[in-house]
Every structure is written in structure tokens, then in C-alpha cells.
Amino acid sequence: FQQLLFAEVGVTHSSFLTPHSTISYEVVDLKSGEVVASQNPELCATPASVTKIITTATALELLGGDFQFSTYIETNGTIENGILNGDLIIRGGADPTLGSIHLGDRAFLDYFVKVIKHKGINHIKGDVIIDPTCLDRCAASVKWIWEDMGFHYGAAAFGLSAYDNTSIITMNSGEFGTKPIVTSVWPETPNLAIYNEVKTLRIPNDSVWAFCPPYGLALYLQGGMPANRNNYVVRTSIPNPPLVVAKSLHKMLNDWGVTVDGSYSVQTEYFPEERTLIYEYKSRKLSEIIRLTNFKSNNLYAEHIFRRLGNLIMPHEATSSASIQVVKDYWAKQGIDVSALFLYDGCGLAAQNAYSAHFLNQILAHMRKSPNWDDFYQSLPRAGREGTVGSFLYRTKLQDKARLKSGSLSGVQCYSGYIMYGDKEYAVTAMVNNFTCKRKD
């Protein structure tokens, strides 16, 4: 097996190791517990998106595959004769799928309005308020970098998120030397100024950069575009999804004949008050969400799952630190040494995340015996067939026999998961940092 793995997977000493490279790998026979191959298995390395294995495994163990995220339609007033005497409140539950193009209903606000009208409400005397205070206002990990946060893949996790927290900006460019123009932005973020500093350059492909932090009021588009491109799409992060939902719902209610006396706003901190539940809106099952998370390496889904874990010990304004504590406490109770687990997010964008191949393999071994095994195993894509490892191990003896999560950042390439080969079952993790060969090698 060792010869097969290193010949077919391509993890050889000469492939990756240079004087400045770091590698931690380990292959464990899950039936015997024997380590059949390893190098620096206890060495901490930057793991990138294989961090999602920790997040999704922990969530399945603590929440269960049937868990569903909830979003609540509430009021702090009363409903009499079609009039809501008070505010209409949408309370978020950190659901990453609201309006998601993947597992959500793009028209979820239409559904909300239908529910409100079905309850007999045709006039609201108060405001439309979005309450995202199940999570704190530090929506992005403090370890994330400026390069990532403006793009859709670096969108932050809010107590109420929507539309994958992704803004779709369409641009047209003219001749070389002219300035590309922004032709449309969806959805509209109130009070957001877009500064278009993109140039038309003699380049074959675009090199547009987006810069904007969570809650930012200015989005900077910089870099270059090739000439004569129409309807070119740039996907940026939405800096304030709760505010987008607040304004959209307020307008939609009035458009649909539910008049609102007040304005719209976002609650910025938790305070207890008596509320009446009008409707509870549920997401798809966690097992489905986790499968999408690992197949597509979806950072937004992973980060919301991770942050939702913090609510287990902090029901209101949960912090990233609370989520980290939940993760560490759970695996420590399973007998895994977490002293060398350096964790700063749930998706792997933080380059300061670090742990070893041995640590990850212990989680994989635990999940093999878990009641949640099937949900977890099925969430990992088959190498050479699907997901982010669709081309990895293609046309090798390990195609379809490995289910792996991949992870990559600049100078980082990692794989972790299971190989089922004949009657053998293996947990395998390989993490390589600071390699100098081509990534596909």
C-alpha cells in the first residue's frame, strides 16, 4: 500500500521536499490502528481548507445530521384586526443558506411576505428590524487577510446572511486606455459607495481586485480588465447582509400591500425583550449542508456552521473564541490532544491555522466509528470523480477509492480523508507548505 500511495498519489520526498518545504503526512490502517506511512506526523503545518473536516465533523457530532438552522419572524407587539401594533422582527440563526444559489430559496423574502400576509397582517405600525445578534459583530476572523475579504469566497459570517453574502457586479470595458464602467450591482447595499479604479489593460484575462471589510461603506475595485469585454461579472462580498435584507423586505412589504409606517434597521446588540413568534423558517438538513460544504469547499457555509457551534455556550452574540472553545472541548473529551491545535476559523482561510497530520487522522478515525459516519463519509468527494478533487488521482488505481477533502492557499497543498482499497481502510492526511514545484505535481 505504501508503494501504491506514494507512486499513485505522487507524495514523494523528491516531489515536495526542498530545504525550505514543510511536510506532515500520515497513513493509518483504521482496522489495526497501525501507522503504515508517515513523515513528521506531529509537525504542525498550515492546513487551508482541510480545516473544514474539523468543522463539519464537530458539527455532526454535536448538532446531528438532522439539525436545521432557523430564522424567526417575530414581533414585539400585538396583531389585531390586520394591524401589527409594533415592530416586525426577523431574527437570524446564522443560516448560510438563506437565498443561497446552492441549497436555499433565492426568493425567500417573497415567502416571508406571503407568510406575513397569510397571518392576516396588512399594516405594520412599527419598523422592520433585522436581529442578527445570535453572533457578535466581529463577522470575519481577525486572522483573515485584506486580499480575501472583498471577494465572495472571503465573505464574512453574520447572524443573518443572505444570497451567499455575494454581490454580483457587472462591468463593461472598451478600447485599451479607456475606463471600464460598472453597469449593474445586485443586490443593492444601502449607503455603499463603489470606487471603480479598474483600468483597461493589454492583458488576456481580468485582474480585478475587490477590497471591502464587513460593515464597510466603501468598496474599491482595482486592477485591470482586457479590452472590449461586456457583461463581465465580478463577485464581491456583501459588507452588510442584514442591512440588505432589511431594506429589501421593507420595500417588498409595501409593494405587496403590507404598508409599513416606520423605517428599516439592523439591531446591533442583543437585549432581552418579550416577543411573539409569527413563523419559524428552517433550512435544509445539516447533513446536506455539510455535503455541499466539503464537496465545493464552501467557505461561507463552513464559517456559519463553525460560528453556530459557539451558540452552544453563548446563545447570544457568540464569538469566534466560543466556537474554538466548543471544538477544542469536544475533541479533548474524545481523548485527542488539542494543545497543538491552533484554530482561528472554521473554513481554513486563516493562514495562522496550524495542526498536524496525526491530529486530523485522529478525528478521521473517530468519525469512522461514529453514528454520524455515513453523513460524514458521504460529504467527502470521490477523488478523480467529483468536487474539488475531481481531477486528483484521475485514471489511477485510487480513483473512486479515495474520499478526500483538499485544501490550498499560496504555497499550501493538503489532502485529508479516507482510502478504501480492497479490504483495507485507511485514514490519510498529507499537508505540504512552501513547495516550489507546480501545484499539479
Side-chain angles (χ1 to χ4, degrees):
F1 174 76
Q2 183 172 339
Q3 280 187 331
L4 173 67
L5 179 67
F6 291 109
E8 294 292 62
V9 180
V11 182
T12 66
H13 294 272
S14 59
S15 292
F16 290 117
L17 282 183
T18 64
H20 42 268
S21 295
T22 299
I23 183 168
S24 175
Y25 72 75
E26 183 182 72
V27 183
V28 177
D29 185 323
L30 287 171
K31 293 183 177 179
S32 68
E34 176 190 1
V35 176
V36 299
S38 69
Q39 181 166 329
N40 302 322
E42 299 281 3
L43 182 66
C44 288
T46 301
S49 280
V50 294
T51 299
K52 294 180 177 72
I53 284 182
I54 299 175
T55 298
T56 55
T58 308
L60 282 172
E61 294 294 271
L62 292 177
L63 301 175
D66 290 335
F67 172 82
Q68 295 171 279
F69 292 89
S70 292
T71 303
Y72 308 90
I73 303 176
E74 302 174 329
T75 181
N76 53 12
T78 59
I79 303 172
E80 298 177 7
N81 301 319
I83 299 174
L84 193 163
N85 297 288
D87 300 316
L88 179 73
I89 302 168
I90 308 298
R91 177 164 62 89
D95 181 1
T97 71
L98 278 180
S100 172
I101 198 171
H102 304 293
L103 294 178
D105 178 5
R106 248 354 206 187
F108 76 99
L109 285 182
D110 293 43
Y111 184 79
F112 282 13
V113 175
K114 290 177 183 178
V115 167
I116 292 164
K117 287 176 69 72
H118 182 72
K119 295 295 183 180
I121 300 172
N122 53 50
H123 183 73
I124 299 171
K125 285 196 170 182
D127 295 331
V128 173
I129 299 173
I130 303 300
D131 177 2
T133 61
C134 65
L135 303 183
D136 73 346
R137 281 180 58 82
C138 189
S141 168
V142 295
K143 300 297 184 180
W144 287 5
I145 63 175
W146 183 238
E147 174 185 342
D148 294 329
M149 287 190 292
F151 286 109
H152 68 286
Y153 67 83
F158 297 80
L160 190 140
S161 294
Y163 311 118
D164 300 301
N165 290 357
T166 297
S167 181
I168 300 173
I169 298 177
T170 305
M171 301 182 71
N172 290 347
S173 64
E175 297 296 327
F176 169 73
T178 62
K179 185 179 180 63
I181 61 172
V182 174
T183 59
S184 65
V185 180
W186 184 91
E188 177 190 356
T189 298
N191 307 319
L192 178 67
I194 298 178
Y195 295 91
N196 176 18
E197 300 175 357
V198 179
K199 299 178 180 179
T200 303
L201 304 175
R202 290 193 175 97
I203 53 177
N205 300 301
D206 82 280
S207 181
V208 176
W209 293 89
F211 301 101
C212 187
Y215 304 107
L217 297 178
L219 169 65
Y220 290 90
L221 299 176
Q222 298 178 342
M225 277 184 66
N228 301 312
R229 291 285 183 91
N230 290 327
N231 299 318
Y232 183 81
V233 171
V234 178
R235 289 179 171 83
T236 68
S237 61
I238 299 175
N240 196 339
L243 189 60
V244 168
V245 173
K247 180 175 182 179
S248 298
L249 180 58
H250 184 272
K251 181 179 185 302
M252 193 173 294
L253 285 166
N254 283 287
D255 289 346
W256 283 44
V258 181
T259 53
V260 183
D261 287 347
S263 186
Y264 61 87
S265 63
V266 175
Q267 187 173 325
T268 58
E269 61 183 49
Y270 171 76
F271 58 88
E273 67 172 348
E274 186 175 342
R275 294 178 182 176
T276 300
L277 177 67
I278 296 175
Y279 186 77
E280 181 178 359
Y281 182 86
K282 289 183 173 293
S283 72
R284 303 270 281 272
K285 290 183 179 180
L286 182 63
S287 57
E288 297 177 70
I289 296 173
I290 280 177
R291 191 171 192 272
L292 188 284
T293 300
N294 285 333
F295 260 61
K296 300 296 185 181
S297 202
N298 190 301
N299 291 331
L300 186 83
Y301 279 25
E303 203 61 22
H304 280 78
I305 294 167
F306 172 72
R307 293 299 306 274
R308 179 61 179 79
L309 290 172
N311 287 136
L312 295 176
I313 58 175
M314 292 183 68
H316 309 292
E317 298 184 300
T319 63
S320 289
S321 296
S323 299
I324 294 167
Q325 192 61 52
V326 168
V327 171
K328 286 190 171 184
D329 286 351
Y330 178 76
W331 294 112
K333 289 177 182 176
Q334 310 314 309
I336 297 178
D337 180 10
V338 297
S339 63
L341 171 60
F342 302 94
L343 190 65
Y344 297 99
D345 67 13
C347 65
L349 269 182
Q352 288 88 345
N353 287 334
Y355 44 83
S356 68
H358 179 66
F359 175 84
L360 214 51
N361 276 354
Q362 289 182 91
I363 291 179
L364 294 173
H366 170 91
M367 294 305 294
R368 182 64 184 93
K369 300 175 182 178
S370 167
N372 296 298
W373 158 250
D374 189 61
D375 284 340
F376 181 69
Y377 184 66
Q378 296 298 327
S379 79
L380 301 175
R382 292 174 294 169
R385 184 69 63 184
E386 56 200 4
T388 58
V389 292
S391 61
F392 185 57
L393 300 180
Y394 180 62
R395 291 184 176 177
T396 73
K397 295 177 182 179
L398 293 181
Q399 180 177 347
D400 289 329
K401 295 178 175 63
R403 284 188 176 266
L404 300 169
K405 179 74 195 74
S406 64
S408 61
L409 292 170
S410 296
V412 174
Q413 187 63 56
C414 305
Y415 296 97
S416 184
Y418 301 95
I419 294 177
M420 305 301 188
Y421 194 77
D423 63 348
K424 294 287 189 178
E425 298 181 1
Y426 300 93
V428 55
T429 298
M431 299 194 293
V432 183
N433 294 177
N434 305 316
F435 58 87
T436 55
C437 62
K438 293 182 179 178
R439 191 177 294 275
K440 67 180 180 179
D441 296 336

